[in-house]
Amino acid sequence: MSARLRCADAWLILGDQQIAVEVDLALFLPDTGLWGGVLHHVPRRQAGAMREAEASLRLPTGEEPRIRPLAIPDDETSVPFIGEGPPPF
């Protein structure tokens, strides 16, 4: 991954819930614009809810791209994800 960006004050939006998270964002394939990252400090209950709920990420820039989890680890509160739409950076 390249073009790393860490946003300490991002928000994970799940339905009507807003959860403060830290996020590492990166461009996976620069030629395609495929981007994603890892959410940190996601409460286990909300991490599990990401399997079925629509999720978005509110960034300090005001952008709110939709995201999809790639995996929901059972023993951690970090969730890898892929972003939808153009990269927000």
Side-chain angles (χ1 to χ4, degrees), residues 26-89:
L27 207 55
F28 292 136
L29 299 170
D31 294 338
T32 66
L34 183 63
W35 67 277
V38 179
L39 299 172
H40 301 283
H41 310 296
V42 179
R44 283 195 173 97
R45 177 177 284 173
Q46 281 77 14
M50 287 182 73
R51 290 183 180 131
E52 302 193 16
E54 185 175 304
S56 61
L57 190 60
R58 184 172 300 140
L59 300 171
T61 60
E63 294 174 278
E64 200 169 303
R66 287 187 53 182
I67 60 171
R68 291 177 289 137
L70 292 174
I72 306 293
D74 292 329
D75 58 346
E76 296 181 22
T77 58
S78 293
V79 179
F81 69 89
I82 189 105
E84 296 182 2
F89 47 89

